[in-house]
Amino acid sequence: MADKRDYYEVLGVEKTASTDEIKRAYRKKAMQYHPDRNPGDKDAEEKFKEVGEAYEVLSDDQKRSRYDQYGFAGVDPNYAPGGGAGYGGGFSGFGDFGDMGDIFSEFFGGGFSRRASAQQAARRGENVGARLDLTFEEAAFGCEKEVTIQRIENCAACHGTGSSDGVVETCKQCGGSGQVRTTQNFMGMSMQSTTVCPACGGKGKIIRNPCSTCRGKGKVMRRNVKIKVKVPAGVDDGQSVRVRGEGCVGENGGPNGDLLTQIRIKRHPIFTREGMDVLCEVPISFTQAALGGQIQVPTLDGKVTYDLPEGTQTGREFTLPGKGIPEVGNPRHRGDHRFTVVVETPTKLNKEQKELLQKLDASLGTGSSPQRKKFRDALRDFFE
């Protein structure tokens, strides 16, 4: 974890960036490193995951606040950067140099006592990750999918006790604390220190008959666990859906971790997405472009009849309000469907058709082609 890059650096934004700026930066990066655009590129795949992780934190106001204040430790309880930080500034007392008790702990085992306490403390279980492939429609309208994961669970044979007969004794040597006090001499002084109990290894408990299934650990790795995931409407590519409590089991009564499913949306043959808007191209004939008329436009809700105006030029965009992607958490609010018309030029014309088009072109004159007239006038002015 020590080599993790700053989330702002990952997205290429300043720390003062607004929510919209972060969202735009994420979309740009996610599109750049998307696996579909970089097939077989492991580096791009890792960067795609890195961008998704950064966006998950910075797009959440509470997580972003904790990250700004505490760094990775504020948003990831498992983060443990490597390497010492050094002493910093000049020595002006125990506060600057570090707690004097910690110094003695290095000599007399106080550090071991902290580890003993940690073994008995309630700890949250690890999160589990999975990838979830969705169609364009499933992501737009939401769905329920099943993923297969592996996770650490309580041993079913011993019910998580680690004992084959269910008997777990309190360590008599430490009284269940996992720690024992010892006295040593240091520079002529008698010093007391707390160390890990040698009898129970700091656990505070003794198991006489360990479970053969988990070998006394009380935990096993279970594979092929099927979990149902409810995907909300409007989820976007690269985002994560959290299923609380479906990760690894906690320690000493701590809560379970979560299941984090990273969304990957398959390409659609017609539609693309821009925020909450759906985009597509609709080919039309030369005659439809010139005369106008009704055309059929595909949308997420099915075909829609649209009245095309006369003289429509290729590349012109039209909008169907409220036919786009639903907003996550507010499915009644939807984006728009924007379609661009592309005039298809006729090919493989016969002699009669060519003659008819030539007659039509001759009869139109420049008044029906303002763009062509403008271009011709610009050419004339340029050469003159």
Side-chain angles (χ1 to χ4, degrees):
M1 299 288 288
D3 58 349
K4 291 186 68 169
R5 290 199 298 155
D6 175 70
Y7 287 148
Y8 292 100
E9 178 186 345
V10 170
L11 296 182
V13 298
E14 299 293 333
K15 289 190 175 182
T16 55
S18 65
T19 303
D20 289 339
E21 289 173 332
I22 290 174
K23 183 180 293 185
R24 285 196 297 269
Y26 160 70
R27 294 190 188 283
K28 181 178 178 181
K29 294 285 186 181
M31 186 175 295
Q32 178 183 352
Y33 297 120
H34 197 284
D36 286 343
R37 293 194 171 192
N38 304 274
D41 190 336
K42 295 296 183 182
D43 183 57
E45 185 176 347
E46 289 301 318
K47 288 182 177 178
F48 182 74
K49 294 178 181 178
E50 184 182 41
V51 166
E53 179 183 331
Y55 180 70
E56 182 186 0
V57 171
L58 298 185
S59 62
D60 186 302
D61 291 340
Q62 293 183 352
K63 290 182 180 179
R64 182 179 180 182
S65 177
R66 293 199 302 269
Y67 176 70
D68 289 343
Q69 188 172 4
Y70 303 110
F72 294 116
V75 292
D76 186 353
N78 301 313
Y79 179 74
Y87 294 138
F91 173 65
S92 60
F94 293 161
D96 292 328
F97 192 74
D99 187 80
M100 185 57 73
D102 290 339
I103 298 173
F104 285 123
S105 295
E106 295 299 322
F107 288 99
F108 298 109
F112 293 107
S113 70
R114 286 193 293 273
R115 286 199 293 273
S117 298
Q119 290 190 51
Q120 300 181 62
R123 295 194 300 275
R124 184 178 180 273
E126 297 286 338
N127 291 335
V128 174
R131 197 180 81 177
L132 191 55
D133 293 325
L134 303 177
T135 65
F136 196 92
E137 291 84 357
E138 286 174 335
F141 295 119
C143 60
E144 184 173 274
K145 304 285 282 187
E146 190 175 72
V147 297
T148 302
I149 62 171
Q150 61 179 23
R151 66 186 180 189
I152 298 174
E153 298 183 352
N154 281 327
C155 175
C158 64
H159 306 289
T161 63
S163 172
S164 61
D165 55 12
V167 178
V168 179
E169 302 175 8
T170 300
C171 178
K172 295 179 179 179
Q173 187 166 341
C174 65
S177 67
Q179 307 170 10
V180 292
R181 286 188 174 275
T182 60
T183 303
Q184 299 182 37
N185 290 320
F186 176 69
M187 299 175 64
M189 296 184 295
S190 180
M191 303 295 299
Q192 283 192 343
S193 62
T194 304
T195 59
V196 173
C197 175
C200 64
K203 296 180 179 179
K205 297 177 181 179
I206 299 292
I207 297 175
R208 303 293 182 187
N209 300 304
C211 172
S212 59
T213 301
C214 64
R215 298 181 181 179
K217 295 181 179 179
K219 305 287 188 295
V220 293
M221 175 65 77
R222 184 182 168 197
R223 306 180 188 279
N224 299 321
V225 181
K226 297 186 181 299
I227 304 295
K228 289 185 178 180
V229 180
K230 290 185 178 180
V231 180
V235 68
D236 204 353
D237 195 79
Q239 292 182 338
S240 293
V241 176
R242 182 185 298 268
V243 184
R244 298 195 179 277
E246 292 295 351
C248 295
V249 68
E251 293 282 348
N252 302 318
N256 291 355
D258 299 334
L259 167 61
L260 300 176
T261 56
Q262 187 177 49
I263 301 300
R264 183 175 176 182
I265 302 176
K266 302 174 185 176
R267 284 191 175 185
H268 195 279
I270 300 175
F271 303 134
T272 57
R273 177 172 176 171
E274 187 177 282
M276 291 173 58
D277 291 349
V278 175
L279 313 180
C280 77
E281 289 186 346
V282 178
I284 61 174
S285 69
F286 171 80
T287 305
Q288 288 174 314
L291 302 180
Q294 292 186 338
I295 62 172
Q296 297 295 312
V297 180
T299 73
L300 287 173
D301 300 316
K303 292 182 180 180
V304 172
T305 301
Y306 191 85
D307 290 323
L308 199 68
E310 293 183 11
T312 296
Q313 303 298 313
T314 189
R316 182 174 175 182
E317 184 180 86
F318 298 90
T319 300
L320 297 172
K323 292 290 184 180
I325 304 291
E327 181 181 3
V328 176
N330 184 19
R332 292 185 178 180
H333 178 219
R334 296 176 60 176
D336 300 330
H337 183 99
R338 293 151 45 197
F339 68 94
T340 303
V341 295
V342 179
V343 180
E344 190 171 21
T345 303
T347 59
K348 298 181 180 180
L349 299 174
N350 60 34
K351 182 179 179 181
E352 181 182 0
Q353 291 168 334
K354 290 179 181 178
E355 289 176 352
L356 288 172
L357 283 177
Q358 288 170 348
K359 289 180 182 180
L360 174 63
D361 185 60
S363 68
L364 289 175
T366 59
S368 298
S369 305
Q371 293 296 327
R372 187 167 56 173
K373 180 179 182 302
K374 182 178 179 181
F375 179 71
R376 286 177 176 175
D377 291 343
L379 283 179
R380 183 191 63 210
D381 294 342
F382 176 75
F383 286 110
E384 289 180 356

